[in-house]
Amino acid sequence: MPPAPSPSPRSAARAALLMLASTLFFGLMAITIRFASRTLPTFEIAFFRNAVGLLVLMPLLLRSRASMRTTQLPKYLLRSAIGIGSMLCSFWAIGHLPLSQAVSLSYSTPLFVTIAAVLWLGEIVRRRRWTAVLLGFVGVLVIVRPGTSDFTHGSLIALAAAVLSAIVAIQIKQLSRVDAPDTIVFYTYLFWVPLSFVPALFVWQWPQPMAWLWLVLTGICGTGGQLLWTRALKIGDVSALTPISFMQLPVVSVAGMLLFNEKIDRYTVTGALIIFAANAYIAQREAQLARRSQTSAPVGASRPTE
């Protein structure tokens, strides 16, 4: 079977712009989550992110006229429940850890996707990709610094978000074998809203006027970032787009310094660069394999949050 053709220069440029816009949207979402976390619990922020996201998506989904029929409802429920767990851990980390650290650790997701693909899907990963995975985990250790006075248990919550996000990535890969992307998005949000509403009820606080702004912006930025991210990967080469997705780190690092008086930690920067190098290699190898088998872009591409 011949390899799939590479994107044209025009398509590659469009994909790069979409990925850059997605990165900025995700960066803005992290900032709005941090502002909302000053007065509201994580459970409630997650609910509003999903509710606003569903409202934003409904007109687009109805316009696409995609079939919403599926025979995989139990799988969607499981995927959504694990996704909510990942979202809660990620939002908590963004609200309570330095922004640069929370986002840097979120980029470890592709490392866990590689491991999950071996254990769950039986994919074969050879020596060079395993070496890249090990290198990535060295970067994680540099950021987390276990056994030192700088270690915080909150960093483990950020890593839990990455692990759960990796499991979700594998589930999406399985669901996409049967259902269209719009169908997956529709049922994900349909389950996300009630699943996130139940825990939010136990900690509910009516948002102050300014908090409403942050909640609405969180939903808009998160959903917009997702839409742009998926469209970028649909038309572009994941190995070329992965470096662009890492532009979120300097955005949130500068925002953390200017808006929240956070220091840019050299260990976090060093660890993030190591993770970036590992992810770039993994993305390149998986893109090559995807082209050979004429499949879509790998699901393990770096995406900071749900």
Side-chain angles (χ1 to χ4, degrees):
M1 182 180 295
S6 299
S8 67
R10 185 174 180 179
S11 295
R14 183 165 174 250
L17 289 175
L18 287 171
M19 182 59 79
L20 181 59
S22 169
T23 298
L24 294 177
F25 267 73
F26 281 130
L28 289 173
M29 184 185 71
I31 295 167
T32 58
I33 290 171
R34 170 58 69 85
F35 276 120
S37 297
R38 288 177 165 179
T39 57
L40 294 171
T42 300
F43 289 165
E44 194 170 344
I45 296 170
F47 165 70
F48 278 105
R49 181 258 181 272
N50 295 327
V52 173
L54 182 60
L55 291 175
V56 171
L57 280 171
M58 283 308 296
L60 300 176
L61 293 175
L62 292 174
R63 192 183 308 162
S64 72
R65 297 181 181 178
S67 173
M68 296 305 165
R69 295 181 180 179
T70 183
T71 59
Q72 304 188 90
L73 280 180
K75 293 182 180 179
Y76 279 109
L77 178 59
L78 178 61
R79 174 264 182 273
S80 299
I82 297 174
I84 286 294
S86 174
M87 183 182 296
L88 292 175
C89 290
S90 176
F91 282 20
W92 186 94
I94 290 172
H96 296 84
L97 295 177
L99 281 176
S100 58
Q101 185 182 60
V103 171
S104 295
L105 291 174
S106 75
Y107 282 119
S108 64
T109 295
L111 308 178
F112 293 110
V113 169
T114 303
I115 296 173
V118 173
L119 299 177
W120 202 324
L121 302 179
E123 291 188 3
I124 298 175
V125 174
R126 303 196 183 280
R127 183 175 57 188
R128 285 183 291 180
R129 269 200 291 169
W130 277 125
T131 302
V133 169
L134 292 175
L135 176 65
F137 282 121
V138 170
V140 171
L141 291 175
V142 171
I143 296 172
V144 175
R145 282 165 280 171
T148 70
S149 59
D150 295 315
F151 170 76
T152 63
H153 288 88
S155 60
L156 299 181
I157 297 178
L159 285 175
V163 173
L164 293 174
S165 183
I167 295 173
V168 167
I170 298 298
Q171 290 175 313
I172 291 174
K173 188 171 185 178
Q174 293 176 317
L175 290 168
S176 64
R177 293 172 179 171
V178 178
D179 292 337
D182 285 347
T183 306
I184 296 173
V185 170
F186 172 74
Y187 282 105
T188 294
Y189 274 85
L190 197 65
F191 282 119
W192 267 358
V193 173
L195 285 174
S196 57
F197 181 62
V198 172
L201 279 176
F202 291 93
V203 293
W204 190 269
Q205 301 176 27
W206 282 108
Q208 298 298 316
M210 197 63 189
W212 280 110
L213 173 64
W214 303 129
L215 292 172
V216 171
L217 287 176
T218 294
I220 292 174
C221 291
T223 305
Q226 263 189 330
L227 291 172
L228 292 165
W229 180 82
T230 53
R231 280 154 179 76
L233 290 180
K234 185 176 181 179
I235 64 174
D237 191 326
V238 68
S239 60
L241 296 176
T242 294
I244 299 174
S245 72
F246 273 78
M247 287 301 295
Q248 188 194 10
L249 183 57
V251 170
V252 299
S253 297
V254 172
M257 182 175 59
L258 297 179
L259 299 176
F260 307 109
N261 199 30
E262 296 177 356
K263 295 181 179 179
I264 298 179
D265 181 69
R266 67 179 184 275
Y267 290 102
T268 298
V269 173
T270 302
L273 290 174
I274 296 173
I275 294 172
F276 165 74
N279 279 349
Y281 180 79
I282 291 171
Q284 183 183 35
R285 288 293 300 162
E286 291 189 353
Q288 290 173 353
L289 295 175
R291 285 194 293 268
R292 289 174 190 170
S293 59
Q294 291 185 310
T295 59
S296 59
V299 295
S302 298
R303 180 177 56 169
T305 57
E306 279 284 0

